[in-house]
Amino acid sequence: MTDLRVISTDGSDKILEEVVVQGFADSLRGRLACPGDDGYDAARKVWNGMIDRHPALIARCAGPADVIAAVRFAREHGLLVSVKGGGHNITGNAVCEGGLMIDLSPMKSVRVDPVGRTARAEAGLTWGEYNRETQAFGLASTGGVVATTGIAGLTLGGGLGWLHGKHGLSCDNLLSADIVTADGQLLTVSANQHPDLFWGLRGGGGNFGVVTSFEYQVHPVGPVLAGMVVHPMKRAMEVLRFYRDFCRNCPDEMVAAGALMTSADGDPIAVIVAAYIGDLAAGEKAMASLRKFGPPLADTIAPTSYVALNTLFDAAFPYGGVQRYWKSSFLKELGDDVLDTMISRSAKFLSPMSNVLFFHLHGAAARVDRDATAFGLRDDQWDYDVISQWTDTAESAGHVQWTREFWTAVEPFASGQVYVNHLDAEEGTTRIKAAYSHGYEKLVALKNVPDEPEHQTDGVSSISLAPLAGRGPG
Ligand SMILES: Cc1cc2nc3c(=O)[nH]c(=O)nc-3n(C[C@H](O)[C@H](O)[C@H](O)COP(=O)(O)OP(=O)(O)OC[C@H]3O[C@@H](n4cnc5c(N)ncnc54)[C@H](O)[C@@H]3O)c2cc1C
């Protein structure tokens, strides 16, 4: 180890002496990884292969004490900080260039209480890992539809998933969280403890500190009826009209996604993926029209486990390596005009890995009072994402431009709202406000206004976390 050049919060360079870095390394139970160290490159890798940043220091945290040590070290030396959960965010905000990355991914313990129907989960877990533990008891809480997505970033931004129609968003199932605030103190926040901060954590992103663990309400789930029906792209208009009407009439137990994409054989296809979370016979009835329509080229709908359901999209979105750019908005209506715009542009995908996805937000997730959590976009509507994926870095500019043009053509039909977890790296304040609507001002106030006096240090608010990376206000 030698003296280390690091980036500070104001963007300037500073040198950390070897003895200081070694002292920090010795204070951790986990490992401190610097450029060239074993595991450094694996730790800085995130889902989006376009992100290739090199933190000066990666604190591979083994537990909350390491997170406290890392936040205090960053504060003492004024370091630029980023926080990594599952590393799935399209922006790559989990990794900073030249600063300290607080890597939570080694923190993976889960404790399920099957009697109280709660699960306490550390912030480095992915949904695949969390589901495996909760499903051992036949339980689950709403999580992401891809197994490798982190529970942390997804929950802090809201959390759409196959269970949200029946049980609300991931953040609606959050009972409490342990969070290390900017002054390096660990607080437990819940409806009764620091309720404003708890409100902000449920949709406000990683703005308020480093969450070390989440306590979720869990529900009996599974087996489920789920799978996809596949149609040729030439029938995409009929398929998406059907999908629109199907979503409008589906019960809380059903959540359905639509996709325009390319099959493994290279054929352009329109797909509906649906999951019924409840009695299998009732699910068969609710799925009947979907399976009959067309008829489809392929129908994989069958009883399956909740764990398997949450791997259905995994092959389409492999972790790392692939270059990605996406844009997203909410659509309140899937009218023929917007469908026509999307279908005609989807006929010209630049890569067979690219796709357009629709995910229907409804049911319990849409009935929560919009003021109850920072995630306030509680309308029955579709999150849509135009997702470009490619491997040749020389082609990046073309894919980015194609994606932007697609999104710009669709935007006149959009609701003016966007899911914070789907914002891309270049979005400005207007779009961040669109992710919060009425809650934006309250979030800014929460981020900037001092917390209770006993949680302040040196007159600085414990929750004013400007250096900590994350999407959202401020
Ligand atoms: C393939 C794919 C599938 C997806 N599917 C879904 C889905 O089904 N439903 C859905 O709602 N969203 C989905 N998303 C979006 C997803 O919610 C976001 O990408 C989310 O940010 C991922 O969280 P993460 O922990 O993996 O990401 P990271 O990139 O590690 O973190 C995301 C942000 O949160 C901050 N952060 C992470 N952990 C903490 C923490 N413990 N404390 C404070 N801040 C923290 C980070 O600093 C960063 O700014 C998907 C994304 C991808 C790429």
Side-chain angles (χ1 to χ4, degrees):
M1 205 176 270
T2 52
D3 291 356
L4 209 59
R5 183 179 297 277
V6 292
I7 304 290
S8 51
T9 46
D10 62 9
S12 63
D13 277 9
K14 68 188 291 179
I15 300 293
L16 288 181
E17 286 177 23
E18 180 178 352
V19 63
V20 171
V21 178
Q22 189 60 54
F24 177 41
D26 292 344
S27 75
L28 300 176
R29 181 160 65 93
R31 282 194 56 230
L32 185 68
C34 297
D37 289 350
D38 274 358
Y40 171 83
D41 282 325
R44 71 184 183 85
K45 181 175 160 185
V46 289
W47 177 78
N48 186 355
M50 279 187 112
I51 308 300
D52 185 24
R53 298 189 193 126
H54 296 77
L57 300 153
I58 301 179
R60 307 219 62 220
C61 298
D66 283 356
V67 179
I68 291 169
V71 169
R72 288 184 178 169
F73 184 77
R75 185 185 175 96
E76 185 185 345
H77 297 283
L79 304 182
L80 177 70
V81 169
S82 67
V83 182
K84 182 181 175 190
H88 249 225
N89 199 277
I90 185 72
T91 62
N93 279 345
V95 199
C96 58
E97 184 64 44
L100 166 64
M101 181 172 120
I102 301 178
D103 180 9
L104 305 173
S105 61
M107 293 171 53
K108 291 190 184 290
S109 82
V110 190
R111 184 174 188 280
V112 181
D113 173 358
V115 177
R117 296 221 170 134
T118 61
R120 167 67 70 177
E122 280 196 303
L125 288 157
T126 64
W127 285 107
E129 293 160 344
Y130 173 82
N131 292 339
R132 182 176 147 75
E133 297 297 331
T134 56
Q135 279 284 280
F137 302 90
L139 300 167
S141 51
T142 308
V145 302
V146 171
T148 52
T149 306
I151 68 165
L154 184 140
T155 302
L156 294 171
L160 284 63
W162 295 118
L163 302 185
H164 71 230
K166 194 169 178 184
H167 297 302
L169 302 177
S170 306
C171 70
D172 300 329
N173 286 278
L174 189 64
L175 298 174
S176 73
D178 284 353
I179 179 170
V180 178
T181 55
D183 57 2
Q185 297 200 49
L186 192 141
L187 304 179
T188 298
V189 300
S190 66
N192 300 320
Q193 295 165 280
H194 311 282
D196 283 347
L197 187 48
F198 185 56
W199 174 89
L201 283 189
R202 289 173 293 157
N207 273 292
F208 305 107
V210 186
V211 175
T212 57
S213 67
F214 300 86
E215 183 194 11
Y216 297 102
Q217 181 85 63
V218 287
H219 314 271
V221 171
V224 300
L225 188 70
M228 64 180 84
V229 289
V230 180
H231 297 268
M233 183 71 95
K234 63 176 188 270
R235 299 196 63 189
M237 183 53 113
E238 294 162 67
V239 173
L240 290 181
R241 278 183 186 147
F242 174 86
Y243 169 69
R244 166 184 74 204
D245 298 340
F246 182 76
C247 287
R248 285 287 184 229
N249 294 308
C250 70
D252 288 1
E253 288 81 0
M254 182 90 78
V255 170
L260 300 172
M261 57 188 288
T262 307
S263 75
D265 299 328
D267 299 321
I269 50 174
V271 176
I272 301 173
V273 188
Y276 187 91
I277 312 298
D279 176 70
L280 293 178
E284 291 284 3
K285 271 192 194 157
M287 292 274 193
S289 63
L290 173 65
R291 306 186 74 178
K292 197 168 159 207
F293 175 78
L297 297 172
D299 172 356
T300 69
I301 293 167
T304 186
S305 71
Y306 179 68
V307 169
L309 166 63
N310 283 290
T311 61
L312 277 184
F313 285 113
D314 286 14
F317 300 107
Y319 197 100
V322 180
Q323 310 288 299
R324 268 89 181 212
Y325 185 77
W326 82 21
K327 287 194 81 72
S328 177
S329 284
F330 275 114
L331 294 165
K332 287 208 171 112
E333 302 293 339
L334 294 185
D336 286 1
D337 39 13
V338 67
L339 294 181
D340 192 47
T341 302
M342 294 170 124
I343 292 165
S344 58
R345 285 178 180 265
S346 298
K348 297 172 197 150
F349 280 134
L350 297 187
S351 157
M353 297 176 76
S354 298
N355 49 61
V356 176
L357 288 184
F358 304 86
F359 207 58
H360 183 219
L361 190 153
H362 80 118
R367 286 194 295 271
V368 172
D369 188 308
R370 67 175 200 159
D371 295 321
T373 64
F375 185 100
L377 309 180
R378 298 293 183 167
D379 298 305
D380 183 319
Q381 57 181 336
W382 287 270
D383 165 67
Y384 102 88
D385 313 290
V386 49
I387 303 177
S388 283
Q389 305 191 100
W390 66 100
T391 50
D392 184 351
T393 51
E395 294 175 356
S396 297
H399 288 279
V400 169
Q401 188 185 345
W402 183 88
T403 315
R404 285 183 182 149
E405 286 172 3
F406 187 114
W407 179 81
T408 303
V410 171
E411 208 44 18
F413 304 102
S415 71
Q417 300 176 333
V418 60
Y419 178 26
V420 71
N421 273 351
H422 289 172
L423 285 170
D424 69 80
E426 297 125 31
E427 315 268 20
T429 309
T430 309
R431 288 276 284 167
I432 293 170
K433 281 186 177 170
Y436 291 110
S437 160
H438 68 288
Y440 180 80
E441 301 305 334
K442 184 172 170 185
L443 277 166
V444 172
L446 185 58
K447 184 169 173 176
N448 294 331
V449 169
D451 197 4
E452 293 90 331
E454 70 268 27
H455 296 124
Q456 293 177 31
T457 307
D458 303 332
V460 179
S461 162
S462 64
I463 58 168
S464 178
L465 273 188
L468 289 170
R471 302 300 304 177

